[in-house]
Amino acid sequence: MAIFSMTRPELRKKIALQGIAFIIVGAAFIFLWNTLKKTQAANIQTPSSSRISGTLPSLLSDLNLILPISLLAVLFGVAFAFYLEEWLPTTSKVRSFIESQVAFFVEIPSLLYGLLAITVLFSYADVSKEIGTPPIQNINEAGLAAIPLQHNIAMFYAETLVFIFMVIPVAIKTTQEALRSVATPIRESAYVLGANHWQVLANRVVPLALPRILAGGCRAISRSLAVAALLIGVHIPGTRGIPDRFMLFLGGALLLSTISSFLIEIYVPATARHG
Amino acid sequence: MQTKKKGPILSIHNLNVWYGDNQILDSLSFEVQPRQITALIGPANCGKSTLVRCFNRLNDFTPNFRFNGEILFNGKDMYKKKTDVTAIRKKIGMVFRKPEPFRCSIYENVAYGARIAGINQASQLDAVVQKSLQRSGLWDEVEPILHGNPEQLSIGQQQRLCIARALTVEPEILIFDEPCGELDPIETVKIENLMRDLRNDFTLIFVTNKRRQAARVSDSAGFLYCGELIEFGSTEKIFTNPQDTRTEQYVTGRLG
Ligand SMILES: Nc1ncnc2c1ncn2[C@@H]1O[C@H](COP(=O)(O)OP(=O)(O)OP(=O)(O)O)[C@@H](O)[C@H]1O
Ligand SMILES: [Mg+2]
């Protein structure tokens, strides 16, 4: 096990690094808990549930926002992974810091990120006011429900926040693994012919790594779709807040998964986890 | 001053290499003469690969690699700042122990070197590919399957394919790092004959841990032991009249 082969300073460094991610998630958890409590108290109600026309328009309007942002996030993650893996030396402090944070965030289930998004929605925009608006009345030519602008901005904040912690780390990690899966001798065989770094990447590495990079991108996007499922719940008129017991369950799950991913990160060697 | 033609093509002065805190090479100094086969012999893990990977700066990619000393290529320090490393690698080619054909056709494998060197015209590429394959003695065997997958070739043919690929760049020096390590005796003989042919046009550096092979093909030889260059000189001298007892023990098979 990794922990037994680590020297004391190494272990201390690892715990310190993981602690940062732990604190971020912990803070998010407290924030989430409080906000959801408040929204419960604010008594979200739908004034006119009779005008509800189903989940499809709501689903489509969410996907309308989520898919483009996810794609952008995946592109950013992939590009960033190239920078980390190909341009920063393995001894780089920046690289080891980012990698340890990434390793932490990919372990957290997407459901919990969804809750985080909801929290942001509830706190930065008064979504509860919007909830009564039946989306069916605002359907545009594309057949998609036009979301009120203010709502859109809130969604944008929520999404961005969620993607920073959810989609991008998955894209970074899978891309890095894809790049590493191209064996060193293949790169060296091109370097010894006088190829430069860009040529080696474009001609030899990317063609072999591409299937894995694409698979990673799909994984990252499917994670964001899971969040979409939760957000849709917020948009469907008629949702009367979230039941207390459900909240308790989710809160517990968040705490548990945070702690377990913290422990996994510290105790299990990376090779055992991803091998 | 020595002229470029007469002097050594590669001079190594006081080379020390570390991986982290492990010293791998300990103050090596020797010279490689042009149009010769220089063999580097020594037991496993004595640092032969580490040494030759310094010559084309392939060690630049190894984390923890540290080095001091001087390597002059045609009289110029190749570890000087602002050296164009890819230009150095075009002039100093390398063939590895395990052949690593790219996952494309035999033709494209050989053409890749030429493309890197800036040749893009189809007719020129055809000519370069044919010439390189002929030089490496593979043309007759692969002509009918030129656009086929290199994996159908025997391992020895794959090794010659890698040699052909290295030749398209027209390097001055070719480093062979145990090129026959994975080959059977018949393929080994073919590679040895090929090296003798190539000596007319290139300078060869030949790493091997088979002493008889070094004795058969090389002009000069160096014996490396635990990161030290115990002895360097003409092959004849190293194998028939070594100065150091360890060299003598090694070449007679009593050491390593
Ligand atoms: N990337 C590396 N990092 C740390 N140590 C290394 C690295 N590469 C090689 N070494 C060590 O350097 C020493 C010399 O290795 P090298 O590969 O140069 O030996 P060699 O003479 O080529 O051996 P062989 O005959 O097995 O090919 C070995 O002890 C090896 O463990
Ligand atoms: Mg070796």
Side-chain angles (χ1 to χ4, degrees), chain A:
Chain A
M1 284 229 298
I3 193 156
F4 297 125
S5 59
M6 274 193 252
T7 61
R8 246 165 196 288
E10 269 172 359
L11 189 64
R12 225 178 289 143
K13 194 178 139 206
K14 182 133 203 168
I15 292 179
L17 281 174
Q18 288 307 305
I20 296 173
F22 190 79
I23 288 167
I24 294 175
V25 174
F29 171 71
I30 294 166
F31 177 57
L32 178 112
W33 183 254
N34 284 340
T35 322
L36 282 171
K37 272 290 182 214
K38 247 183 271 161
T39 23
Q40 292 277 305
N43 189 16
I44 305 164
Q45 286 193 350
T46 24
S48 49
S49 43
S50 59
R51 280 189 286 153
I52 303 167
S53 57
T55 48
L56 192 63
S58 154
L59 179 77
L60 287 178
S61 61
D62 272 348
L63 289 183
N64 206 10
L65 188 70
I66 283 167
L67 278 180
I69 298 184
S70 312
L71 282 172
L72 274 182
V74 166
L75 280 181
F76 175 82
V78 169
F80 198 71
F82 268 84
Y83 172 67
L84 281 184
E85 190 62 31
E86 297 290 333
W87 274 274
L88 286 183
T90 39
T91 45
S92 153
K93 289 210 170 96
V94 178
R95 177 165 165 177
S96 70
F97 174 77
I98 293 173
E99 278 176 357
S100 72
Q101 303 303 310
V102 161
F104 182 85
F105 283 110
V106 293
E107 308 273 358
I108 296 176
S110 48
L111 178 72
L112 303 168
Y113 285 108
L115 276 179
L116 194 63
I118 291 182
T119 315
V120 177
L121 268 180
F122 274 127
S123 35
Y124 286 112
D126 199 355
V127 180
S128 53
K129 271 193 209 136
E130 309 284 349
I131 283 178
T133 322
I136 192 76
Q137 291 187 339
N138 300 326
I139 287 192
N140 58 23
E141 312 87 66
L144 301 175
I147 311 172
L149 182 66
Q150 185 199 9
H151 197 147
N152 253 337
I153 291 168
M155 280 289 284
F156 186 76
Y157 279 135
E159 291 288 306
T160 315
L161 193 94
V162 164
F163 287 124
I164 286 173
F165 293 117
M166 184 179 75
V167 175
I168 293 175
V170 173
I172 289 178
K173 186 148 196 170
T174 49
T175 306
Q176 270 191 308
E177 274 161 15
L179 290 174
R180 266 176 231 164
S181 74
V182 180
T184 319
I186 294 180
R187 293 165 183 261
E188 287 186 344
S189 301
Y191 275 122
V192 296
L193 297 172
N196 63 32
H197 196 169
W198 287 100
Q199 287 168 324
V200 171
L201 277 183
N203 307 334
R204 305 269 70 101
V205 177
V206 172
L208 293 177
L210 199 60
R212 278 167 183 244
I213 294 176
L214 290 178
C218 289
R219 229 182 95 197
I221 288 185
S222 68
R223 236 159 112 79
S224 74
L225 292 183
V227 168
L230 260 183
L231 290 182
I232 286 161
V234 178
H235 295 145
I236 297 170
T239 312
R240 286 172 184 274
I242 301 161
D244 246 341
R245 221 177 284 161
F246 184 57
M247 268 322 296
L248 206 61
F249 167 73
L250 285 178
L254 175 59
L255 208 61
L256 263 181
S257 82
T258 313
I259 291 169
S260 67
S261 65
F262 184 60
L263 292 179
I264 285 171
E265 199 37 51
I266 289 178
Y267 283 95
V268 185
T271 45
R273 250 179 297 141
H274 307 294

